[in-house]
Amino acid sequence: MLKLTVSERTFHFKVPAGTSRGVYTTRHSWMVTATDDDDPGAVGVGECAPLPQLSCDDLPDYGDVLREMCRMVERKGKIDHGVLLPYPSMRFGLETALLRQQAASDIIFDTPFTRGEVGIPINGLVWMGDYDEMLERMEEKMEKGFRCVKLKIGAIDFESEIDLMRRVRQRFSPESIQLRLDANGAFSPGEAMGKLQRLAAFGIHSIEQPIRQGQWKEMADLCANSPIPIALDEEMIGVNIPLMKEELLDTIKPAFIILKPSLHGGMAGTSEWIDMAEKRGIGSWMTSALESNVGLSAIAQLAAHIYGCPVPMPQGLGTGQLFTDNVDAPLEVVGDELRYIAR
């Protein structure tokens, strides 16, 4: 008989992680452990980690709701994806736990990545900070050999951010370093186009969520006219029904969508988003939502499974070294790749 147990854990950032919504110093997760009386040696662990004030299932009674979802899965012996639509982080953790329990292994998908044959290209992530901090972090990523760097903007004044990118481009061409920007909705609709036009001078690959989510008409206008390809992230949070997903993509017509399974419907929901995007000529990549290595490993495996190996585009999966007290996992960043250390 399937049994699911829930435990809680708080992880601590090595360096405070700055976003336009504030600064993270800790990360709280609920771990779901799956066992079965018929196979007591097979244990699977999944991570449920909603982001405060961002996830659609960031609930004050999250633990109680999660335990009720676990009891429902125990009774049915499987996940009821319809019931779990409003709870993407719970769906992701339960999917991961059950798949690992069934495999009796951390390995969910057998791919060249999990066999240790190839790595997944990742972007280097530069958190928000003051000018000197961000410049130092940029230089550190470039010195480590990252060919794609994601820069979170919107926390310091715009002219300083422009100067930061100018400094980067004085040393590295767009051909040698791909620059991705993440505005986290920091621009107002009225100022966004002017700022995008100025940023375009630096050969920017893409910019995530230049304005806050929920402004479909304004975002559609930006996507149609921006000199920089626009990627959606927060815009898709809470959009869990297939017809709503199609309406969003057909209305806004972004260049890219960025998938975080904990925010965007778990593994099943993420796969659905990618399939819909591909049919519309919209690109995509995956990133973590600051999970521990438990969740990060599952996302990396999903990326290798869906996109194939070698994974064609850098993914946002370089977050395994963020915490002082992370869970041990067979993951290692080598240069600008995430590698699974086959055992």
Side-chain angles (χ1 to χ4, degrees), residues 50-51 54-59 85-88 237-240 262-263:
L51 280 170
L54 184 61
S55 296
C56 65
D57 55 357
D58 174 32
L59 307 171
L85 278 181
Y87 310 112
I237 296 172
V239 181
N240 300 314
S262 289
L263 297 180

Side-chain angles (χ1 to χ4, degrees), residues 18-20 127-130 134 152-158 161 183 186:
T19 76
S20 59
W127 292 100
M128 290 179 174
D130 63 33
M134 293 179 75
K152 284 185 172 285
I153 63 173
I156 60 177
D157 71 277
F158 187 66
E161 290 172 338

